[in-house]
Amino acid sequence: MTGPVVILGPQRPAPNLPEVLAAHGISGPVAVITAGWRHDEDELDALRRDLPKNRLVHLPIYAWFDEVHAEEPVLAAAYAARQKRIRQYKAAYRAQLQSALDAVSATQALIERDPSLFLPELHFLLTSLRAIDDRTVQRVNEIRDEFPATAQPWAYPAARDRHARIQDAFAHCSAVLIAGGHVGVLRNRMYFFGLDALLRGYVEGGGCVVAWSAGAMSLADRVLLYYDDPPDGRGEAEVLDSGLRLTPGAIWLPHATHRLRVVDPERMARMSARLRPELAITLENGAWVEHVNGAWTSRGRPEAARLVGALGQVRPLEPGEVLELPPPRTAPDTVRVVTP
Amino acid sequence: MKTVVDLSRAIAADHGAAVALLRAFVADRAFPILEGDTATFFFWDGKPTESVHLVHWVFGLESHQAFERIPGTDAFWLAIELPHASRVEYKFKLTRGARSGWVRDPLNPHKAYDPFGSNSVCPMPGYEAPRWVEPEEGCRPGRLESFEVHSAVWGDARTVQVYLPSEHRPNKAYPLLICHDGSDYLRFTALKTVLDNLIGRHEVIPIIVAMVDGGRRNEEFGAHPNHPTWIVDELLPAIERRYKVLPGPQNRGIMGASFGGVASLWTAWSRPGVFGRLLLESGSFAFTDVGRHDRGALWDPVVGFVNELRREPQRLGGRDLRVYMSCGQFESLIYYNRSLQPLLRAADLDVRYTEVPDGHNWICWRDRLREALTWLFPGYLWMIYE
């Protein structure tokens, strides 16, 4: 029987993590991953205050990553070269994205004139947009394959011990907590230490994973970056990379109220269409969506978790509402929401 | 009653009801009356008044324009066209008997403050005060502290106010921004709140801001030969002894408005390679192509510096230097700023230039801070989801 995977919104100003752990009967030690906080990853005072009854077993993978790099120069050089190549490639992705988004905007502006003429064009362009996003995930993986020395960092002597310490922590902890922060750093550090497989094994063994904000984003099939009103540029969302694939079918969007124009249905519809078949779910402080016994259920504060609909409408998930997440990408789009 | 013209007609038709009509008129709407691109200024306080003039600082627009009296009353009005999204600070000049003086528009609650007092504000349709100038939920406040630096070059002790971001820890190094007229920036642009918000939103990387004021401000900031010595040889080491600051010009910025902009550019030009980030708001970059300037002796060193800079802009340091420049279209300085920015670009500096329909005032400088700081010290806003 698999354990629960719990997705939470931002923990400020009012954390609901204590309530979540209590609800799942987790009173023992918990493993904590805070690599998204980067150089601040060991500042656990706030977590300790929130969880006074749980012993925190910190897994400082942000620092470990630097230590391993210092001890394994061959790995470090290959990893740096790989990341540089990925960054260089991203210029091509952004150029493709920009052209496609310009075409989508131009076509959206035409639809009112003659929907029957232009809607098929819009659908075609949105399909192209999805193909561009799919391709970036594929290309980044291909670039990684060009660097076999970086395929299993934990196989290097300097990382082996730390990898074992993660496994040991998982064996003794009743939950793994993954905090938010810098989603790129968090995602990369977790992959570096093989946490995609370790977390999957942990959940399959009945363990509970609780992740919030960037932690939640990194568990999805792919990581989407978004900020609709940046001080510079147009603020078009872009796919960063694949995620850890622990919550297939959902893309989690924390801080949506601040980061997205959720009141702009045209923009949100475009995002929804672009992300299909995944379902876009926004998360604010108090959100709590969990996968238990094969079903995704919203249990948090009303309005804190919302579903982005196909037409761009953003609808709150009711407490107790069961979400049917779509099947893997290869299957047809069959997004449904079931209200008990 | 929709307009002043309607009001005038109504008063003309029933003179005995003038006071009641005026009372109803002023109680019924916001002033100035804004319709499309026209702002109608209105004055009536029930007291005998000879004349009313509009006092403003919009370069190119006739100043001291006379209001028109509504016949048989002490009410006056003036309609002028202003650009969309513009913002004009103004006062009324009232003449009553032998006395005349400037007052704020008594019917307009919108005020803007500066070191000389306050003005009334006419924000035209399209202008909106930015959200990030007010404290935002979730953005943790940084703190201000101050210390004194003895300056040998000025022969006195100077107070430096320092903004430390909320996450500041003594053992961690941060980029540094030196701000001229720091006290005024804090008071009139809400600089601390702006920094709290932009850093809290991750739009700006956490930075330390050291704020200084001039002793004899205009003289010192006006391309004075001692100023770079004070900033680079005295202030900078004092800051670096007290706080951990990231090395390299890309982590060091200097900023200011008006003469503070001159002081910033003058320092960067005099000591190339020290500062890699410049924030210059409405810089008083007066120059001459031929003959003498007519701005007074205070400007001699400024004009001399800018003339020299125009001959040798590459001395600033080229591509590694990122410069944000802004200027209000209603300032006489717009000509100089417009002229300077392509010159700096041609010298291969990384320049961003913005001009807006506003004047030489602190709100205009406040409103540019997001664009400026996010470009000079960009945060990881696309990446951080806490």
Side-chain angles (χ1 to χ4, degrees):
Chain A
M1 177 185 151
T2 60
V5 176
V6 184
I7 297 299
L8 305 179
Q11 290 301 291
R12 283 211 306 261
N16 58 352
L17 182 60
E19 184 189 352
V20 169
L21 294 194
H24 285 279
I26 295 163
S27 54
V30 291
V32 179
I33 295 169
T34 53
W37 300 350
R38 297 174 292 158
H39 36 261
D40 299 330
E41 73 169 342
D42 56 355
E43 296 194 359
L44 301 178
D45 289 353
L47 264 183
R48 286 198 181 96
R49 275 196 302 275
D50 290 341
L51 306 173
K53 292 177 184 163
N54 299 94
R55 186 166 68 83
L56 305 188
V57 180
H58 189 217
L59 300 172
I61 60 173
Y62 180 83
W64 286 355
F65 176 89
D66 290 343
E67 290 164 15
V68 170
H69 273 217
E71 292 170 43
E72 301 284 359
V74 173
L75 171 63
Y79 195 89
R82 184 188 94 178
Q83 293 305 103
K84 184 179 176 188
R85 196 158 161 78
I86 291 173
R87 280 195 300 276
Q88 286 171 335
Y89 150 72
K90 284 288 183 177
Y93 167 58
R94 290 191 187 109
Q96 293 161 9
L97 202 55
Q98 209 54 61
S99 300
L101 287 164
D102 284 345
V104 168
S105 296
T107 308
Q108 273 181 325
L110 292 170
I111 282 173
E112 259 187 32
R113 290 190 200 169
D114 189 341
S116 67
L117 185 61
F118 293 112
L119 263 175
E121 302 312 306
L122 181 65
H123 290 146
F124 166 74
L125 287 168
L126 290 169
T127 306
S128 309
L129 202 50
R130 285 197 291 272
I132 291 170
D133 285 341
D134 290 348
R135 182 173 167 76
T136 197
V137 174
Q138 179 196 328
R139 286 290 290 129
V140 169
N141 281 330
E142 285 170 4
I143 294 170
R144 274 195 279 263
D145 289 344
E146 294 171 19
F147 296 86
T150 67
Q152 292 192 326
W154 58 90
Y156 285 77
R160 207 177 292 140
D161 170 58
R162 293 169 175 95
H163 189 249
R165 280 155 74 180
I166 298 172
Q167 289 174 299
D168 184 58
F170 281 15
H172 294 95
C173 289
S174 35
V176 177
L177 313 183
I178 307 171
H182 192 299
V183 69
V185 166
L186 176 63
R187 180 251 175 237
N188 286 348
R189 299 304 200 262
M190 288 205 287
Y191 261 110
F192 187 87
F193 287 103
L195 275 156
D196 51 329
L198 293 181
L199 283 170
R200 193 168 297 111
Y202 182 70
V203 172
E204 283 167 3
C208 173
V209 172
V210 183
W212 60 95
S213 293
M217 294 166 74
S218 65
L219 296 188
D221 276 1
R222 59 183 56 184
V223 177
L224 184 81
L225 307 177
Y226 51 94
Y227 200 101
D228 276 0
D229 184 27
D232 197 22
R234 298 192 339 183
E236 298 292 358
E238 61 179 69
V239 171
L240 174 72
D241 207 333
S242 52
L244 274 73
R245 304 177 193 280
L246 217 61
T247 64
I251 298 287
W252 309 104
L253 306 173
H255 293 291
T257 303
H258 281 303
R259 300 183 71 104
L260 292 171
R261 286 183 224 151
V262 288
V263 293
D264 182 343
E266 193 174 278
R267 202 172 169 90
M268 296 306 288
R270 196 166 70 190
M271 174 177 269
S272 172
R274 186 177 159 186
L275 294 176
R276 274 189 313 187
E278 273 93 3
L279 216 52
I281 298 164
T282 71
L283 304 169
E284 306 299 340
N285 178 233
W288 171 358
V289 184
E290 64 179 28
H291 185 253
V292 177
N293 299 330
W296 280 97
T297 312
S298 178
R299 294 186 61 182
R301 185 170 59 78
E303 309 268 335
R306 290 174 292 174
L307 181 71
V308 182
L311 299 176
Q313 76 281 22
V314 180
R315 178 181 71 71
L317 296 178
E318 300 297 329
E321 180 172 336
V322 175
L323 272 171
E324 194 166 311
L325 293 184
R329 278 186 159 252
T330 46
D333 298 354
T334 50
V335 178
R336 276 196 306 127
V337 177
V338 181
T339 307
Chain B
M1 195 181 319
K2 280 185 188 169
T3 66
V4 176
V5 175
D6 296 332
L7 172 68
S8 300
R9 284 184 186 140
I11 290 173
D14 183 3
H15 217 80
V19 169
L21 288 166
L22 283 163
R23 277 201 184 119
F25 187 77
V26 298
D28 208 26
R29 68 208 68 229
F31 294 91
I33 302 165
L34 306 178
E35 283 172 330
D37 55 2
T38 301
T40 302
F41 298 87
F42 188 86
F43 177 80
W44 178 69
D45 66 357
K47 297 174 190 166
T49 305
E50 270 73 59
S51 66
V52 181
H53 290 77
L54 183 69
V55 179
H56 60 76
W57 296 268
V58 179
F59 184 71
L61 186 69
E62 182 194 345
S63 196
H64 288 72
Q65 293 186 56
F67 281 48
E68 189 172 325
R69 182 191 291 271
I70 296 178
T73 73
D74 285 304
F76 296 81
W77 64 280
L78 171 70
I80 58 174
E81 286 188 7
L82 291 168
H84 176 77
S86 63
R87 196 185 145 279
V88 173
E89 297 191 10
Y90 68 96
K91 279 195 167 87
F92 292 162
K93 181 186 173 193
L94 303 184
T95 302
R96 286 176 157 152
R99 299 174 62 184
S100 72
W102 292 6
V103 297
R104 286 194 309 268
D105 181 347
L107 297 174
N108 180 359
H110 298 294
K111 286 182 271 190
Y113 296 87
D114 62 26
F116 308 106
S118 61
N119 295 312
S120 294
V121 180
C122 171
M124 291 301 285
Y127 172 82
E128 260 183 62
R131 279 188 308 167
W132 40 266
V133 303
E134 300 291 340
E136 288 187 335
E137 191 182 304
C139 294
R140 287 176 286 185
R143 68 177 199 276
L144 289 174
E145 57 185 45
S146 61
F147 70 103
E148 284 207 337
V149 181
H150 179 75
S151 169
V153 75
W154 295 124
D156 57 18
R158 306 256 160 142
T159 299
V160 183
Q161 296 184 83
V162 180
Y163 171 85
L164 300 172
S166 69
E167 67 142 63
H168 180 263
R169 276 178 309 290
N171 58 354
K172 188 183 158 195
Y174 297 85
L176 171 71
L177 174 63
I178 292 177
C179 173
H180 291 94
D181 290 319
S183 298
D184 287 342
Y185 263 103
L186 285 172
R187 195 168 160 210
F188 303 119
T189 73
L191 180 61
K192 181 180 176 296
T193 302
V194 170
L195 289 166
D196 288 343
N197 290 339
L198 298 183
I199 293 171
R201 292 173 170 199
H202 307 293
E203 292 184 3
V204 169
I205 201 164
I207 53 173
I208 294 174
V209 183
M211 289 162 276
V212 292
D213 302 314
R216 295 176 303 279
R217 190 244 182 207
N218 288 348
E219 187 188 328
E220 291 179 13
F221 286 7
H224 194 290
N226 286 356
H227 192 71
T229 309
W230 150 240
I231 295 290
V232 178
D233 299 336
E234 297 183 334
L235 175 64
L236 204 51
I239 293 167
E240 288 176 343
R241 278 194 298 275
R242 201 176 169 92
Y243 305 100
K244 278 192 86 167
V245 176
L246 286 168
Q250 73 278 15
N251 292 308
R252 262 187 240 119
I254 189 163
M255 69 175 280
S258 192
F259 261 47
V262 173
S264 303
L265 188 59
W266 164 242
T267 303
W269 193 75
S270 302
R271 300 297 186 92
V274 176
F275 294 101
R277 301 286 181 265
L278 305 187
L279 198 173
L280 312 172
E281 300 195 280
S282 302
S284 307
F285 302 130
F287 59 79
T288 54
D289 287 310
V290 62
R292 281 194 54 76
H293 67 93
D294 59 358
R295 288 179 174 258
L298 183 67
W299 288 70
D300 285 348
V302 176
V303 173
F305 156 54
V306 182
N307 283 348
E308 208 175 331
L309 169 75
R310 293 173 76 222
R311 281 193 292 273
E312 202 187 348
Q314 61 277 11
R315 188 173 145 183
L316 276 163
R319 198 67 196 165
D320 293 339
L321 188 62
R322 194 176 276 195
V323 184
Y324 177 88
M325 294 176 68
S326 67
C327 195
Q329 291 163 343
F330 301 161
E331 303 183 53
S332 66
L333 296 167
I334 189 73
Y335 164 70
Y336 302 118
N337 280 270
R338 272 182 192 158
S339 305
L340 192 60
Q341 55 94 10
L343 191 89
L344 297 180
R345 278 207 180 98
D348 208 25
L349 271 65
D350 197 0
V351 180
R352 178 166 292 191
Y353 173 71
T354 299
E355 55 180 58
V356 289
D358 204 326
H360 195 77
N361 63 66
W362 286 96
I363 298 303
C364 179
W365 300 331
R366 178 198 71 180
D367 289 358
R368 307 280 81 72
L369 287 173
R370 182 189 187 213
E371 186 182 43
L373 292 169
T374 54
W375 192 59
L376 297 173
F377 297 99
Y380 298 106
L381 78 164
W382 283 90
M383 286 290 188
I384 294 186
Y385 306 76
E386 284 184 329

